[in-house]
């Protein structure tokens, strides 16, 4: 699985990630993509706060990717 594809499919249309980041309105998704495509090896997320005040934590991109791959295998999901 490519961690950093050049294009994504959004609402059925193929769009370059760089173009989406550059032209999209500020949303949770665009913020996530900016962080994911940054040169840092991690992304920063907030915990849910279900057991206390929400905290910012760092997740290594390689671990997030491994989790996604395991999820895809478990649910037998395929591209498209």
């Amino acid at each position: 699985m490519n961690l950093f594809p050049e294009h994504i499919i959004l609402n059925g249309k193929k769009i370059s990630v760089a173009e989406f980041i550059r032209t999209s309105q500020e949303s949770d998704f665009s913020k996530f993509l900016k962080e994911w495509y940054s040169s840092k090896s991690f992304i920063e997320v907030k915990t849910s706060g279900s057991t206390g005040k929400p905290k910012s934590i760092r997740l290594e991109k390689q671990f997030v990717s491994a989790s996604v791959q395991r999820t895809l295998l478990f649910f037998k999901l395929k591209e498209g």
Side-chain angles (χ1 to χ4, degrees):
M1 174 166 65
N2 182 359
L3 290 180
F4 305 100
E6 292 183 23
H7 295 86
I8 57 174
I9 306 295
L10 190 61
N11 297 326
K13 296 181 181 177
K14 186 176 180 179
I15 183 170
S16 92
V17 173
E19 179 183 345
F20 178 81
I21 290 172
R22 188 177 65 254
T23 62
S24 70
Q25 294 180 5
E26 197 71 12
S27 67
D28 289 340
F29 185 55
S30 65
K31 288 177 191 176
F32 170 78
L33 284 179
K34 285 178 187 177
E35 184 127 16
W36 187 257
Y37 280 80
S38 75
S39 60
K40 297 183 288 187
S41 65
F42 59 87
I43 58 173
E44 290 190 29
V45 298
K46 289 199 186 264
T47 61
S48 68
S50 60
T51 60
K53 187 177 178 180
K55 298 175 183 76
S56 290
I57 59 172
R58 291 179 175 181
L59 300 175
E60 293 290 327
K61 291 176 184 176
Q62 68 183 27
F63 298 134
V64 174
S65 175
S67 177
V68 168
Q69 290 176 355
R70 288 189 303 273
T71 301
L72 292 171
L73 288 172
F74 180 83
F75 289 108
K76 299 180 174 90
L77 299 174
K78 303 215 184 304
E79 187 174 334

